[in-house]
Amino acid sequence: MNKLVKTILSVMAFGGVVGIAHAADVETNSFGGGGGSPQYPEGCTELCGSKSIPIEITIPKVCELKNVTTKITLNSSTGTGTGGFSVGANAAYNLLVDTDNRTSGTNNSALKYGTYSIPTTVTTKRGSNNVNLGSIKYNEPMTAGTSSLNDYSITVQTSGSLGISKPAGTYTDKYNISVYF
Protein backbone atom coordinates (compact mmCIF):
# COMPACT_ATOMS: atom_id res chain seq x y z
CA MET A 1 0.00 0.00 0.00
CA ASN A 2 2.87 2.29 0.84
CA LYS A 3 4.40 1.83 -2.67
CA LEU A 4 1.06 2.71 -4.29
CA VAL A 5 0.78 5.96 -2.32
CA LYS A 6 4.38 6.88 -3.21
CA THR A 7 3.75 6.17 -6.89
CA ILE A 8 0.57 8.30 -6.95
CA LEU A 9 2.33 11.19 -5.21
CA SER A 10 5.24 10.97 -7.66
CA VAL A 11 2.90 11.06 -10.65
CA MET A 12 1.00 14.04 -9.22
CA ALA A 13 4.21 15.96 -8.52
CA PHE A 14 5.52 15.25 -12.05
CA GLY A 15 2.20 16.38 -13.56
CA GLY A 16 2.33 19.63 -11.58
CA VAL A 17 5.88 20.39 -12.77
CA VAL A 18 4.98 19.64 -16.40
CA GLY A 19 1.86 21.84 -16.11
CA ILE A 20 3.85 24.78 -14.74
CA ALA A 21 6.50 24.39 -17.44
CA HIS A 22 3.84 24.22 -20.16
CA ALA A 23 2.08 27.33 -18.79
CA ALA A 24 5.35 29.26 -18.82
CA ASP A 25 5.98 28.10 -22.41
CA VAL A 26 2.52 29.22 -23.60
CA GLU A 27 2.95 32.56 -21.81
CA THR A 28 6.24 33.25 -23.63
CA ASN A 29 4.68 32.34 -26.98
CA SER A 30 2.28 35.32 -26.71
CA PHE A 31 -0.52 34.02 -28.90
CA GLY A 32 -1.80 37.16 -30.64
CA GLY A 33 -1.05 39.70 -27.89
CA GLY A 34 1.56 42.32 -27.22
CA GLY A 35 2.47 43.32 -30.76
CA GLY A 36 4.79 41.70 -33.29
CA SER A 37 3.90 38.59 -35.21
CA PRO A 38 1.94 36.03 -33.21
CA GLN A 39 3.63 32.84 -32.12
CA TYR A 40 1.45 29.78 -32.03
CA PRO A 41 1.10 27.47 -29.04
CA GLU A 42 3.07 24.25 -29.20
CA GLY A 43 1.65 21.87 -31.75
CA CYS A 44 -0.06 24.58 -33.85
CA THR A 45 1.33 25.39 -37.29
CA GLU A 46 -1.46 27.37 -38.97
CA LEU A 47 -3.78 30.16 -37.99
CA CYS A 48 -7.39 29.16 -38.65
CA GLY A 49 -8.86 32.61 -38.06
CA SER A 50 -8.34 35.86 -36.23
CA LYS A 51 -10.77 38.53 -35.03
CA SER A 52 -10.69 41.55 -32.77
CA ILE A 53 -13.46 42.57 -30.42
CA PRO A 54 -13.68 46.29 -29.55
CA ILE A 55 -14.25 47.12 -25.91
CA GLU A 56 -16.14 50.28 -25.05
CA ILE A 57 -18.58 51.92 -22.69
CA THR A 58 -20.87 54.87 -23.37
CA ILE A 59 -21.50 57.18 -20.46
CA PRO A 60 -24.83 58.98 -20.99
CA LYS A 61 -25.17 62.69 -20.30
CA VAL A 62 -26.54 63.29 -16.81
CA CYS A 63 -27.49 66.46 -14.97
CA GLU A 64 -28.86 67.14 -11.51
CA LEU A 65 -30.73 70.18 -10.25
CA LYS A 66 -30.05 70.44 -6.51
CA ASN A 67 -30.30 72.80 -3.54
CA VAL A 68 -33.30 74.59 -5.04
CA THR A 69 -34.74 77.25 -2.72
CA THR A 70 -38.29 76.24 -1.86
CA LYS A 71 -39.65 79.81 -1.78
CA ILE A 72 -38.33 83.35 -2.11
CA THR A 73 -40.14 85.60 0.33
CA LEU A 74 -39.48 89.30 -0.13
CA ASN A 75 -38.97 91.54 2.86
CA SER A 76 -42.03 93.84 3.09
CA SER A 77 -39.84 96.82 4.08
CA THR A 78 -36.94 96.50 1.61
CA GLY A 79 -38.73 94.60 -1.17
CA THR A 80 -35.75 92.24 -1.50
CA GLY A 81 -35.54 88.45 -1.42
CA THR A 82 -32.88 85.89 -2.31
CA GLY A 83 -32.65 82.25 -3.27
CA GLY A 84 -30.59 79.90 -5.35
CA PHE A 85 -30.01 76.52 -6.92
CA SER A 86 -27.13 74.28 -8.01
CA VAL A 87 -26.50 72.24 -11.14
CA GLY A 88 -24.19 69.25 -11.55
CA ALA A 89 -23.58 67.77 -14.99
CA ASN A 90 -21.09 65.52 -16.76
CA ALA A 91 -21.30 67.55 -20.00
CA ALA A 92 -21.81 71.19 -20.92
CA TYR A 93 -25.48 72.03 -20.49
CA ASN A 94 -28.00 74.73 -21.37
CA LEU A 95 -29.93 76.70 -18.79
CA LEU A 96 -33.16 78.63 -19.13
CA VAL A 97 -34.57 80.63 -16.23
CA ASP A 98 -37.80 82.58 -16.51
CA THR A 99 -40.75 83.79 -14.47
CA ASP A 100 -44.46 83.35 -15.05
CA ASN A 101 -44.94 87.14 -15.02
CA ARG A 102 -41.88 88.26 -17.01
CA THR A 103 -42.38 91.64 -18.63
CA SER A 104 -40.36 93.54 -21.22
CA GLY A 105 -36.66 93.99 -20.58
CA THR A 106 -33.85 91.65 -19.61
CA ASN A 107 -34.75 90.76 -16.03
CA ASN A 108 -38.09 92.46 -15.46
CA SER A 109 -41.01 90.63 -13.94
CA ALA A 110 -43.94 91.39 -11.65
CA LEU A 111 -45.60 90.11 -8.52
CA LYS A 112 -49.34 89.90 -9.12
CA TYR A 113 -52.42 89.97 -6.94
CA GLY A 114 -55.54 89.88 -9.09
CA THR A 115 -55.34 92.93 -11.37
CA TYR A 116 -52.70 94.59 -9.18
CA SER A 117 -48.97 94.16 -9.71
CA ILE A 118 -45.63 95.19 -8.25
CA PRO A 119 -42.73 95.44 -10.74
CA THR A 120 -39.61 93.43 -9.88
CA THR A 121 -36.08 92.91 -11.15
CA VAL A 122 -34.98 89.28 -11.01
CA THR A 123 -31.22 88.77 -11.21
CA THR A 124 -29.65 85.32 -11.63
CA LYS A 125 -25.88 84.81 -11.45
CA ARG A 126 -23.32 82.02 -11.52
CA GLY A 127 -20.36 83.71 -9.89
CA SER A 128 -20.12 87.00 -11.76
CA ASN A 129 -21.88 85.67 -14.89
CA ASN A 130 -25.43 86.90 -15.45
CA VAL A 131 -28.20 84.60 -16.63
CA ASN A 132 -31.02 86.66 -18.13
CA LEU A 133 -34.68 85.75 -17.82
CA GLY A 134 -36.14 84.14 -20.92
CA SER A 135 -32.76 83.76 -22.71
CA ILE A 136 -31.10 80.38 -23.00
CA LYS A 137 -27.62 80.33 -21.47
CA TYR A 138 -25.77 77.88 -23.73
CA ASN A 139 -22.76 75.74 -22.80
CA GLU A 140 -22.70 76.18 -19.06
CA PRO A 141 -19.62 74.32 -17.81
CA MET A 142 -19.79 70.69 -16.77
CA THR A 143 -18.84 69.69 -13.24
CA ALA A 144 -17.77 66.09 -13.95
CA GLY A 145 -14.64 65.07 -12.11
CA THR A 146 -15.08 67.73 -9.45
CA SER A 147 -16.85 67.51 -6.16
CA SER A 148 -18.48 70.91 -6.61
CA LEU A 149 -21.64 72.03 -8.36
CA ASN A 150 -22.36 75.18 -10.33
CA ASP A 151 -24.13 77.43 -7.84
CA TYR A 152 -26.62 80.07 -9.04
CA SER A 153 -27.88 82.94 -6.91
CA ILE A 154 -31.24 84.64 -7.39
CA THR A 155 -32.05 88.13 -6.17
CA VAL A 156 -35.53 89.60 -6.50
CA GLN A 157 -35.97 93.35 -5.91
CA THR A 158 -39.21 95.31 -6.15
CA SER A 159 -39.24 98.71 -7.73
CA GLY A 160 -41.58 101.49 -6.75
CA SER A 161 -43.15 102.14 -3.43
CA LEU A 162 -44.76 99.53 -1.20
CA GLY A 163 -47.05 99.85 1.79
CA ILE A 164 -50.09 102.11 1.64
CA SER A 165 -49.76 102.57 -2.12
CA LYS A 166 -50.58 98.88 -2.79
CA PRO A 167 -53.77 97.03 -1.88
CA ALA A 168 -53.28 94.46 0.89
CA GLY A 169 -52.87 90.88 -0.30
CA THR A 170 -50.31 88.25 -1.27
CA TYR A 171 -48.59 89.11 -4.54
CA THR A 172 -46.98 86.17 -6.35
CA ASP A 173 -44.80 85.16 -9.25
CA LYS A 174 -43.04 81.90 -10.05
CA TYR A 175 -39.36 81.38 -10.94
CA ASN A 176 -38.86 78.51 -13.41
CA ILE A 177 -35.60 76.61 -14.04
CA SER A 178 -34.92 74.32 -17.02
CA VAL A 179 -31.61 72.46 -17.42
CA TYR A 180 -31.07 70.43 -20.58
CA PHE A 181 -28.51 69.24 -23.13
Side-chain angles (χ1 to χ4, degrees):
M1 183 70 125
N2 197 11
K3 265 189 175 179
L4 181 60
V5 171
K6 285 182 182 178
T7 304
I8 291 172
L9 289 174
S10 296
V11 169
M12 288 174 57
F14 180 72
V17 170
V18 169
I20 291 170
H22 179 68
D25 186 42
V26 170
E27 191 174 303
T28 59
N29 280 334
S30 176
F31 186 69
S37 60
Q39 304 238 343
Y40 306 116
E42 188 176 327
C44 295
T45 58
E46 294 181 27
L47 180 64
C48 298
S50 177
K51 295 281 184 183
S52 297
I53 301 172
I55 300 171
E56 68 179 38
I57 184 172
T58 301
I59 305 295
K61 292 179 181 178
V62 177
C63 68
E64 295 178 345
L65 185 56
K66 295 182 166 190
N67 308 321
V68 179
T69 299
T70 54
K71 182 193 278 187
I72 299 174
T73 302
L74 284 83
N75 181 299
S76 60
S77 298
T78 64
T80 303
T82 60
F85 61 94
S86 302
V87 177
N90 66 350
Y93 59 92
N94 303 315
L95 175 67
L96 176 62
V97 296
D98 208 351
T99 61
D100 285 356
N101 301 331
R102 182 170 47 94
T103 59
S104 64
T106 305
N107 292 316
N108 298 331
S109 193
L111 296 166
K112 293 190 175 187
Y113 171 62
T115 59
Y116 303 105
S117 69
I118 300 172
T120 59
T121 301
V122 181
T123 306
T124 306
K125 291 187 173 214
R126 179 181 51 80
S128 61
N129 299 312
N130 287 326
V131 180
N132 295 325
L133 293 179
S135 297
I136 299 170
K137 183 80 169 166
Y138 293 100
N139 294 315
E140 287 291 273
M142 72 174 178
T143 59
T146 68
S147 60
S148 63
L149 302 170
N150 289 332
D151 295 321
Y152 295 85
S153 64
I154 308 162
T155 303
V156 180
Q157 177 67 56
T158 61
S159 57
S161 59
L162 300 174
I164 199 166
S165 65
K166 300 294 179 191
T170 301
Y171 291 73
T172 62
D173 194 0
K174 190 183 292 178
Y175 186 90
N176 305 299
I177 308 162
S178 298
V179 180
Y180 56 95
F181 296 106

